[in-house]
Amino acid sequence: MSSLVLAHTRYLMIEQLRVPIGPLAGALFPAIAMLAFVVPFAGKDPVAATAATGSFMLFGAMSNALIGLSISVSQDREQPWNPYLRTLPAGPFPHFAGRILTVLAVMLVSVIPVLLVSAQFTEATITPVRLLLGVGVLVAVLVPFLLMGLFIGFTLSSKAAIAVSQIVFFPLGIVGGLLLPPQFMPDFLQTLSPYAPTRGAAELVWWATIGTRPGTVALVMLAVWTVVVAAAAVWAYRRDEGRRFS
Amino acid sequence: MTILARAIEVTRRYGDVLALDRLSLDIKAGELVGLLGPNGAGKSTLINLFVGLRRPTSGTVELLGGSPQDPAVRRGIGMTPQETGLPESLRVGEIVDIVSAHFPEKADKGELLERFGLSDLIRRQVGGLSGGQRRRLAVALAFAGRPRLVFLDEPTTGLDVEARRALWDGVRSFHEDGGTVLLTSHYLEEIEALAERVVVVGHGRVLADDTVRAVRDMVGVRRVSLVAEDLPDLPGVLGSERADGRVSLVTTDPDRLVVELVRSGVPFSGLEIRPTTLEEAFLAITSKEGAHV
């Protein structure tokens, strides 16, 4: 079974790397945004720059989880190749696992440009332990966004998934304080922010990288969001299975 | 002989649409069976049930003594993907690898590609293949896991004559080595060239299940169509239908039918006699209206 997961991961990785528009956008956009918004305004402040680096890494990782995953899952469902794979002697698991591993791998690569910009052009500092912890937390807090990507991918056509995932992605990033730190946001956004799943995720990343205490409301809401989108993703998966394979 | 695939009283509905209607069929080891039928006859649904993509609404489908839903059972089968869906950015060799990875017994990659005339293309991306090359790759994939039973859905659609014959040779040699084949095709010629047994499906049922020879004789059926108000009882009419003011009669003996028609003195116009396709003949035979129009 594990060798099959590897085989699927390998072919999906090759596919991603040969047409790397999605991964490139996911990698370059946050790095460019770093250069434009963080370097000139917070570059000299080690703590702010470090926190911003975490935020932009999360922002880029989220785009892979939410936009990248939803588009590839919905495209999979539209290609006759996908039902063909299901006639092979394996259940849906190896392909599914391969898809998730591919997103994670692409995500880990795509945060590198942000790290490089941060190291080159800002005063951000981090210990190796905190960096590792940060990357670990990054992967963990990505779970609700992966589930959101699955939900969108399993319910919508690929054209709709492209649009909807972007529409969901940007406001979530902004409300969660990823592009602009919470303290600089207008009042109503500051009130709203803890209820967004991105805020809880960001608080955990900041906790790992600069050691701030995460807010209770944001953490509880992150857990609530995770449970809700997990239920939605399971529902969407079952509905798709029922339509195409029953 | 061992039965490799079996459908027993299988019914399959998609919402209100009845795709298969209490259909029963056995495929025995070593057979090369042609499955014929018009679009919407239930061919694809039947194959989808055999390869485990769909479940019957009622009835039983067995594959290699087990359930097609069981991945381990599917190690013994091979299937052609639709060539339009092959991942564009993968190379020919990589596609064979990912498919082979699912099987305990793998066909030798070089030999497989050689057999389907793809050896020179092993490093070519699928996006750069011609339609015929994709088709051949799709068929080759059915053999990647050394199957006992292959399902070839329209294997040569869109291929030129030469490529089609090369592919037939590949299928024949698989069969000569003891392999079992279920083949669907629009081309009667293809079924004639390959199959020993022909199963015709229409309206979700088996309409005929016989040797190629017996079915070929049925192709001698002609369609006589004309404009007429009322027709008397005519001899040798297998089926009839009325559409847009024209009456179509399916018969094995058009000459006698026309003689009788003239003799009956009934006014008619626009007489046409043309060969039917096999599919048309079977559809007409099973049309629910009686011989008397």
Side-chain angles (χ1 to χ4, degrees):
Chain A
M1 185 53 84
S2 59
S3 70
L4 267 186
V5 171
L6 212 68
H8 278 266
T9 311
R10 192 173 160 268
Y11 110 73
L12 291 168
M13 286 287 283
I14 292 173
E15 251 189 336
Q16 287 268 297
L17 294 176
R18 295 226 172 106
V19 192
I21 294 166
L24 270 182
L28 292 181
F29 180 70
I32 292 166
M34 266 297 274
L35 274 175
F37 302 116
V38 177
V39 173
F41 303 113
K44 296 277 179 276
D45 176 348
V47 175
T50 310
T53 307
S55 305
F56 278 85
M57 282 167 73
L58 179 57
F59 192 65
M62 231 179 86
S63 88
N64 282 306
L66 196 56
I67 302 175
L69 185 61
S70 64
I71 294 173
S72 41
V73 166
S74 59
Q75 280 175 344
D76 266 358
R77 294 193 305 124
E78 288 165 6
Q79 292 294 336
W81 177 246
N82 187 248
Y84 168 72
L85 288 177
R86 293 286 290 263
T87 70
L88 298 175
F93 177 74
H95 185 75
F96 182 78
R99 185 54 87 196
I100 300 293
L101 287 175
T102 306
V103 168
L104 288 179
V106 169
M107 183 277 278
L108 285 175
V109 174
S110 74
V111 298
I112 292 174
V114 174
L115 273 178
L116 291 179
V117 167
S118 172
Q120 276 298 310
F121 303 108
T122 74
E123 298 297 316
T125 55
I126 193 160
T127 62
V129 175
R130 280 201 177 274
L131 179 63
L132 272 180
L133 184 66
V135 171
V137 166
L138 189 65
V139 173
V141 298
L142 219 53
V143 169
F145 305 106
L146 288 169
L147 291 167
M148 233 178 258
L150 289 176
F151 171 71
I152 295 171
F154 277 121
T155 35
L156 299 179
S157 71
S158 63
K159 274 185 185 157
I162 291 171
V164 170
S165 60
Q166 310 242 17
I167 289 171
V168 174
F169 168 69
F170 279 102
L172 276 183
I174 291 165
V175 178
L178 298 183
L179 296 183
L180 198 64
Q183 60 270 28
F184 294 113
M185 296 196 298
D187 286 347
F188 78 99
L189 271 188
Q190 288 204 29
T191 320
L192 203 62
S193 184
Y195 298 96
T198 28
R199 179 62 182 271
E203 298 249 347
L204 282 173
V205 170
W206 296 328
W207 164 78
T209 49
I210 57 171
T212 50
R213 235 179 87 97
T216 315
V217 179
L219 287 189
V220 170
M221 284 314 295
L222 178 62
V224 170
W225 272 99
T226 307
V227 171
V228 170
V229 288
V234 168
W235 171 81
Y237 172 76
R238 289 211 178 130
R239 173 171 167 271
D240 176 60
E241 283 287 301
R243 286 192 175 180
R244 294 193 304 141
F245 301 109
S246 75
Chain B
M1 257 195 290
T2 331
I3 290 171
L4 294 192
R6 165 180 264 175
I8 307 162
E9 290 278 305
V10 166
T11 296
R12 170 69 212 209
R13 290 173 189 281
Y14 297 103
D16 292 339
V17 181
L18 185 62
L20 293 177
D21 185 7
R22 283 180 295 128
L23 179 145
S24 295
L25 180 69
D26 287 348
I27 294 162
K28 300 183 190 75
E31 282 191 312
L32 210 166
V33 182
L35 190 60
L36 267 179
N39 285 332
K43 283 178 303 187
S44 305
T45 300
L46 183 60
I47 289 187
N48 285 343
L49 290 174
F50 276 136
V51 299
L53 281 180
R54 295 281 186 180
R55 293 163 209 259
T57 310
S58 69
T60 316
V61 179
E62 288 171 12
L63 182 71
L64 305 171
S67 161
Q69 301 287 324
D70 178 0
V73 165
R74 296 200 300 269
R75 284 180 187 153
I77 64 165
M79 162 125 182
T80 41
Q82 282 178 37
E83 76 277 14
T84 50
L86 297 170
E88 299 272 310
S89 56
L90 292 191
R91 299 182 205 279
V92 169
E94 289 163 348
I95 295 221
V96 175
D97 288 340
I98 175 73
V99 173
S100 297
H102 291 78
F103 294 92
E105 281 187 63
K106 307 170 197 341
D108 179 76
K109 182 158 71 171
E111 199 185 304
L112 183 71
L113 292 176
E114 174 78 50
R115 198 182 340 151
F116 291 93
L118 296 165
S119 300
D120 300 339
L121 304 172
I122 189 164
R123 294 193 52 75
R124 181 85 62 86
Q125 286 185 16
V126 170
L129 297 181
S130 71
Q133 290 164 339
R134 284 172 194 232
R135 193 69 267 200
R136 276 183 279 149
L137 173 59
V139 176
L141 292 179
F143 297 93
R146 293 191 173 278
R148 292 166 68 193
L149 168 61
V150 289
F151 296 89
L152 304 179
D153 199 2
E154 308 275 340
T156 61
T157 303
L159 288 189
D160 58 39
V161 177
E162 199 182 329
R164 181 173 298 169
R165 293 197 184 278
L167 217 142
W168 288 352
D169 287 341
V171 174
R172 270 197 212 99
S173 79
F174 170 74
H175 178 238
E176 275 156 19
D177 293 340
T180 308
V181 182
L182 181 66
L183 170 87
T184 74
S185 184
H186 279 327
Y187 302 118
L188 190 60
E189 186 202 357
E190 180 156 280
I191 300 279
E192 284 197 35
L194 293 174
E196 293 150 350
R197 177 183 162 201
V198 177
V199 175
V200 183
V201 285
H203 305 307
R205 294 182 181 183
V206 174
L207 305 182
D209 183 349
D210 217 322
T211 61
V212 169
R213 189 194 177 85
V215 171
R216 199 193 286 135
D217 288 345
M218 299 178 116
V219 187
V221 167
R222 294 286 188 279
R223 176 180 290 261
V224 178
S225 76
L226 50 107
V227 178
E229 283 300 320
D230 260 318
L231 287 180
D233 265 328
L234 292 167
V237 176
L238 297 171
S240 63
E241 57 192 17
R242 192 181 271 275
D244 302 329
R246 288 188 76 83
V247 184
S248 289
L249 305 168
V250 175
T251 175
T252 46
D253 191 347
D255 305 320
R256 200 171 136 233
L257 189 140
V258 171
V259 169
E260 290 295 327
L261 177 67
V262 173
R263 205 174 271 167
S264 75
V266 172
F268 67 86
S269 61
L271 182 71
E272 273 178 25
I273 303 177
R274 57 188 176 87
T276 54
T277 63
L278 187 66
E279 296 166 2
E280 270 185 327
F282 278 98
L283 273 184
I285 290 163
T286 54
S287 74
K288 294 214 164 69
E289 298 160 36
H292 188 79
V293 181

